[in-house]
């Protein structure tokens, strides 16, 4: 029987590695990074008598909001939305979304639903008969009664496991493995096994720096087959602000083109789901604070069988340094990589970069691969390429 897990509050951190002993170092984690907010404090207070407990006043349903169970229960319980954490609660839209992600075509999948909120996506997943188990990861106490009610409604409550941990914290995902919730998930060969048929992650990204960092770390974990990628080419379905999707999917030559828009396609195929973009007004689809004017969309990420570069750390290094001068030519950018790097320009030209005046923001993925691979093969390149002191999805 699977039980609800409750964590001791921790500092916010996320690790893209698989489970390892406490004596081993954790790759790609900036231990010096200050958390965006302090961890929640647990206050021990005497319980009030039932008669003295004042329930929260109900919240009004907005105009046009569906009178479905989730919307009604959230309103009746006075459950306020969390700033910058929109959560999909429109049941019809959630059912459509999980099918757009292709989960209905998977074979006995186990689904991890990160930032599950009150359970809009978890509910839609449980309605799919082919889904073996849903693991809802949510640290907000205001949403736990709604998730518990969803669990109690199941004919087989073991199909829904509740993990009351911060989804940004790597401990949440380690806890899932420690509880044996992934013991029946097979490991699929990365190169020959295709996309993993039985493991999928959904994540409703917060519309803030935490969400951006989590997305970036979910992505770079692909490079070393770390985290849950140890099971194979696992896909991830995201909800997030359309402004962020436009940023990370910006094309070469556009003013918005940035480092992330180069790094992501080197490791994965990230596609926006356009069939669900008509979710306006957002208040009829998401539980979010009044005044939140952002519009939200959906995406799906599939790891590539083989990255487009020989060494992802080399690509991260060259994009981080060259995008500082994104409006300069690529030749100027190469000189910023390391002392003496200008000597690599003739080699890069021989490898296929032929336009002398092409700007850094106009470089194609093929151009970036040439620069990264030539730089990585250079005997005099810096030994340490990944800048842990500057670990962030900077553009």
């Amino acid at each position: 029987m699977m039980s609800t897990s409750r964590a001791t509050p921790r500092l916010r951190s996320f690790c893209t590695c698989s489970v390892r002993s406490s004596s081993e170092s954790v790759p790609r984690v900036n231990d010096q990074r200050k958390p965006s907010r302090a961890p929640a404090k647990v206050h021990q207070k005497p319980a009030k008598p039932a008669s003295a407990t004042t329930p929260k006043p109900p919240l009004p349903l907005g105009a046009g909001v569906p009178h479905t169970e989730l919307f009604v229960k959230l309103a009746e319980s006075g459950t306020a939305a969390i700033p910058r954490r929109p959560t999909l609660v429109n049941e019809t839209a959630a059912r459509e979304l999980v099918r757009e992600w292709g989960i209905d075509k998977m074979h006995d999948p186990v689904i991890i639903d990160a930032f599950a909120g009150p359970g809009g996506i978890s509910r839609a997943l449980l309605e799919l008969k082919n889904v073996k188990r849903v693991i809802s990861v949510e640290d907000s106490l205001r949403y736990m009664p709604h998730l518990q009610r969803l669990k109690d409604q199941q004919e087989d409550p073991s199909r829904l496991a509740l993990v009351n941990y911060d989804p940004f914290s790597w401990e949440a995902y380690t806890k899932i493995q420690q509880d044996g919730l992934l013991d029946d998930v097979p490991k699929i060969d990365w190169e020959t096994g295709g996309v993993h048929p039985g493991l999928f992650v959904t994540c409703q990204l917060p519309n803030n720096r935490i969400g951006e960092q989590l997305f970036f770390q979910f992505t770079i974990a692909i490079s070393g087959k770390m985290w849950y990628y140890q099971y194979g080419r696992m896909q991830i379905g995201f909800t997030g602000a359309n402004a962020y999707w436009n940023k990370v999917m910006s094309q070469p030559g556009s003013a918005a083109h940035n480092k992330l828009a180069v790094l992501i396609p080197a490791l994965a195929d990230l596609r926006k789901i356009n069939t669900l973009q008509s979710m306006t007004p957002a208040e009829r689809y998401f539980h979010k604070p009044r005044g939140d004017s952002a519009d939200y969309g959906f995406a799906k990420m599939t790891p590539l069988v083989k990255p487009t570069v020989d060494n992802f750390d080399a690509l991260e290094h060259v994009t981080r340094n060259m995008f500082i001068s994104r409006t300069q030519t690529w030749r100027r950018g190469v000189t910023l990589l390391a002392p003496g790097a200008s000597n690599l320009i003739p080699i890069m030209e021989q490898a296929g970069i032929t336009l002398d005046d092409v700007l850094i923001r106009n470089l194609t993925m093929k151009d970036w691969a040439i620069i990264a691979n030539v730089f990585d093969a250079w005997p005099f390149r810096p030994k340490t390429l990944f800048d842990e002191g500057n670990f962030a999805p900077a553009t």
Side-chain angles (χ1 to χ4, degrees):
M1 183 78 176
M2 298 175 192
S3 59
T4 301
S5 302
R6 173 61 188 160
T8 301
R10 300 174 181 268
L11 291 178
R12 300 175 70 84
S13 62
F14 181 79
C15 171
T16 57
C17 59
S18 56
V19 181
R20 40 179 84 223
S21 70
S22 59
S23 63
E24 292 181 287
S25 62
V26 176
R28 304 183 190 282
V29 174
N30 176 16
D31 293 332
Q32 305 302 318
R33 180 175 62 83
K34 296 176 66 178
S36 62
R37 66 171 185 261
K41 295 182 179 179
V42 177
H43 300 280
Q44 300 294 336
K45 295 183 179 180
K48 295 181 179 180
S51 58
T53 302
T54 303
K56 293 182 179 180
L59 299 172
L61 283 174
V65 171
H67 285 246
T68 52
E69 181 179 348
L70 266 179
F71 274 113
V72 170
K73 291 296 185 182
L74 287 166
E76 288 179 348
S77 61
T79 304
I82 300 175
R84 294 189 173 275
R85 261 207 58 191
T87 177
L88 183 64
V89 292
N90 184 297
E91 297 171 23
T92 301
R95 294 184 187 107
E96 184 180 351
L97 176 60
V98 297
R99 285 173 168 80
E100 288 288 340
W101 281 333
I103 296 174
D104 59 318
K105 297 179 176 63
M106 298 178 70
H107 178 68
D108 291 336
V110 175
I111 316 296
I112 296 97
D113 185 16
F115 289 104
I121 291 179
S122 293
R123 176 186 298 265
L125 291 167
L126 289 166
E127 290 178 359
L128 297 176
K129 300 303 182 183
N130 66 307
V131 171
K132 179 190 295 185
R133 185 182 312 116
V134 176
I135 305 167
S136 299
V137 187
E138 176 56 60
D139 68 327
S140 177
L141 294 179
R142 73 183 72 184
Y143 287 140
M144 293 309 295
H146 300 281
L147 289 169
Q148 185 61 52
R149 184 177 67 252
L150 177 61
K151 183 179 179 71
D152 295 340
Q153 291 172 346
Q154 303 307 306
E155 182 177 343
D156 178 7
S158 68
R159 286 187 71 217
L160 177 60
L162 306 182
V163 179
N164 189 199
Y165 272 64
D166 182 352
F168 185 77
S169 168
W170 72 270
E171 288 93 340
Y173 306 97
T174 302
K175 175 65 174 175
I176 290 171
Q177 291 180 306
Q178 290 174 342
D179 285 352
L181 295 174
L182 301 183
D183 285 354
D184 52 356
V185 174
K187 292 188 176 182
I188 305 298
D189 185 85
W190 189 275
E191 295 185 356
T192 63
V195 172
H196 202 297
L199 183 62
F200 195 98
V201 172
T202 70
C203 181
Q204 302 190 77
L205 291 171
N207 186 20
N208 55 22
R209 195 67 168 172
I210 290 295
E212 293 183 5
Q213 289 191 354
L214 183 61
F215 174 79
F216 184 57
Q217 294 188 54
F218 276 171
T219 304
I220 66 171
I222 297 172
S223 66
K225 299 182 180 63
M226 298 180 289
W227 187 51
Y228 291 162
Y229 298 115
Q230 64 186 290
Y231 293 95
R233 290 175 57 218
M234 174 196 69
Q235 296 175 299
I236 306 181
F238 294 101
T239 74
N242 278 323
Y244 186 64
W245 299 134
N246 294 337
K247 171 183 172 181
V248 299
M249 298 184 196
S250 59
Q251 296 300 306
S254 68
H257 196 51
N258 59 83
K259 166 187 165 181
L260 282 179
V262 175
L263 295 179
I264 293 168
L267 296 173
D269 176 27
L270 179 66
R271 298 190 180 186
K272 201 171 180 181
I273 297 176
N274 294 314
T275 57
L276 296 173
Q277 295 308 301
S278 60
M279 290 192 179
T280 54
E283 291 76 13
R284 299 180 185 179
Y285 297 90
F286 295 90
H287 188 233
K288 67 187 190 72
R290 293 172 183 253
D292 180 356
S293 59
D295 63 318
Y296 298 93
F298 312 95
K300 181 179 179 179
M301 185 168 69
T302 304
L304 300 178
V305 175
K306 181 177 177 58
T308 61
V309 293
D310 297 335
N311 183 348
F312 180 77
D313 284 359
L315 180 64
E316 195 281 333
H317 178 89
V318 300
T319 54
R320 172 164 33 91
N321 286 277
M322 290 179 66
F323 264 104
I324 295 173
S325 303
R326 69 184 69 194
T327 58
Q328 301 293 320
T329 66
W330 72 275
R331 288 169 170 268
R332 167 60 181 162
V334 168
T335 66
L336 303 175
L337 298 181
S342 58
N343 294 323
L344 300 175
I345 293 175
I347 304 175
M348 294 174 182
E349 290 176 328
Q350 292 175 3
I353 303 181
T354 57
L355 299 176
D356 291 341
D357 59 349
V358 65
L359 301 182
I360 291 171
R361 71 182 184 190
N362 294 344
L363 291 170
T364 65
M365 192 67 241
K366 178 182 177 182
D367 297 330
W368 284 111
I370 291 173
I371 294 172
N373 291 340
V374 171
F375 179 75
D376 184 50
W378 186 36
F380 304 105
R381 72 162 175 80
K383 292 184 178 180
T384 301
L385 295 175
F386 196 88
D387 185 2
E388 293 190 355
N390 188 35
F391 184 71
T395 60

